[in-house]
Amino acid sequence: MMEIRFDGKRALVTGAGKGIGREIVKVLVDCGAEVVAVSRTQADLDSLRAETGCTTLLAELGSAAAAQQAALDAGPIDLLVNNAGIAIIEPFLETSVEGWDETLAVNLRAAFIVSQVIARGMVARGKGGSIVNISSQAGVAALPNHAAYGASKAGLDHLTRVMALELGPHQIRVNSINPTVILTPMGEKVWGDPVKGDPMKARIPLGRFGYPVHVAQAVAYLLSDKADMITGIIMPVDGGYLVN
Ligand code: NAP
């Protein structure tokens, strides 16, 4: 009854080369979707295509023009996952304008641009669709040294709500997933030092960090018909971090 299948559906996953995005591609392919994977390192895409049979697109999503072109090149899409993101972790007082702009360009503007192109296609085809934005607990709770990153994710969560409102009449559902620390190259870079990681882990009720599959399973659920009445939500996948 709860088996998730995406046979006959086409999915687009951004930031698919490593970490969470890579796992999302694998899970969606396992569930029968035809997947287009977008990332910016060709070697990652080549190995992912060899592993999964997905289609790949090389694009630097920090460029507005490249983000728009990638979404156009992807063709008709039923399921979209805006996962590409960067984390430039620095104190507020030392946050550079360049770092701020790059963070917002990748984490927020690219999701807007790609979603706009894909949603226009969904509306034109009239069969609805489902979009999941990979946000963060840092978009909900204040974390030190996360001014640009947290602002980009809070912005992404609100984009989720407004898109859900406007696209709902077209049967396009839009939801955010807000993970805690997930053990990926990004997660290791930011939290891998136990001096930083241990106090964070201590604040997570389940007492552990997550793995990419924890996020990918939640993505598959929200993309699927099992979540047919769910739109506009902010779904923590956080071991309970956000209870306080
Ligand atoms: P990751 O290990 O750094 O992997 C990110 C992937 O996205 C990489 O393949 C990267 O390509 C690609 N990417 C980044 N910027 C891109 C751009 N401008 N254009 C095209 N591709 C780009 O990160 P992750 O941990 O899997 O994170 C995935 C998402 O989850 C992000 O939105 C992140 O903010 C969010 N998240 C992560 C955590 C965590 O603890 N890991 C927690 C909460 C939320 P390259 O490697 O070639 O740059």
Side-chain angles (χ1 to χ4, degrees):
M1 189 256 188
M2 284 304 285
E3 196 195 0
I4 291 172
R5 296 298 308 170
F6 296 120
D7 303 284
K9 303 273 190 198
R10 296 189 78 246
L12 175 60
V13 180
T14 70
K18 300 185 176 78
I20 293 168
R22 195 176 178 93
E23 186 66 24
I24 291 169
V25 172
K26 290 182 189 171
V27 166
L28 298 187
V29 167
D30 278 352
C31 294
E34 188 185 326
V35 179
V36 181
V38 180
S39 204
R40 62 178 174 184
T41 299
Q42 189 64 51
D44 290 339
L45 291 173
D46 290 346
S47 64
L48 184 61
R49 184 172 53 221
E51 272 176 56
T52 65
C54 69
T55 303
T56 62
L57 281 174
L58 188 70
E60 167 49 66
L61 297 170
S63 151
Q68 192 172 39
Q69 194 58 50
L72 289 167
D73 291 347
I77 294 295
D78 309 292
L79 313 168
L80 168 63
V81 185
N82 289 304
N83 164 80
I86 57 170
I88 302 173
I89 301 306
E90 49 194 3
F92 171 71
L93 293 177
E94 286 151 38
T95 295
S96 68
V97 171
E98 293 73 23
W100 174 275
D101 283 350
E102 192 186 344
T103 302
L104 273 285
V106 178
N107 295 10
L108 181 54
R109 189 179 66 185
F112 148 62
I113 292 169
V114 172
S115 296
Q116 188 181 56
V117 172
I118 297 303
R120 283 176 179 157
M122 289 172 172
V123 170
R125 289 189 304 283
K127 290 188 196 154
S130 184
I131 299 173
V132 171
N133 294 324
I134 306 301
S135 180
S136 171
Q137 66 182 13
V140 180
L143 302 187
N145 308 319
H146 280 66
Y149 183 85
S152 75
K153 296 301 191 180
L156 186 61
D157 287 347
H158 206 68
L159 178 65
T160 292
R161 295 186 188 97
V162 178
M163 284 174 58
L165 184 67
E166 292 194 33
L167 299 176
H170 300 283
Q171 302 308 314
I172 299 167
R173 297 182 297 101
V174 187
N175 294 293
S176 278
I177 288 182
N178 299 55
T180 188
V181 178
I182 304 293
L183 296 168
T184 66
M186 179 194 288
E188 297 284 2
K189 185 187 85 178
V190 180
W191 300 103
D193 178 356
V195 172
K196 277 185 77 183
D198 286 354
M200 167 56 75
K201 204 180 283 181
R203 291 194 51 184
I204 299 173
L206 291 181
R208 48 192 163 91
F209 293 152
Y211 291 100
V213 71
H214 290 123
V215 179
Q217 286 168 344
V219 169
Y221 169 69
L222 285 178
L223 288 178
S224 79
D225 291 346
K226 312 298 181 196
D228 188 42
M229 199 59 184
I230 300 178
T231 195
I233 69 162
I234 304 310
M235 182 198 265
V237 176
D238 69 344
Y241 179 85
L242 289 172
V243 293
N244 289 304

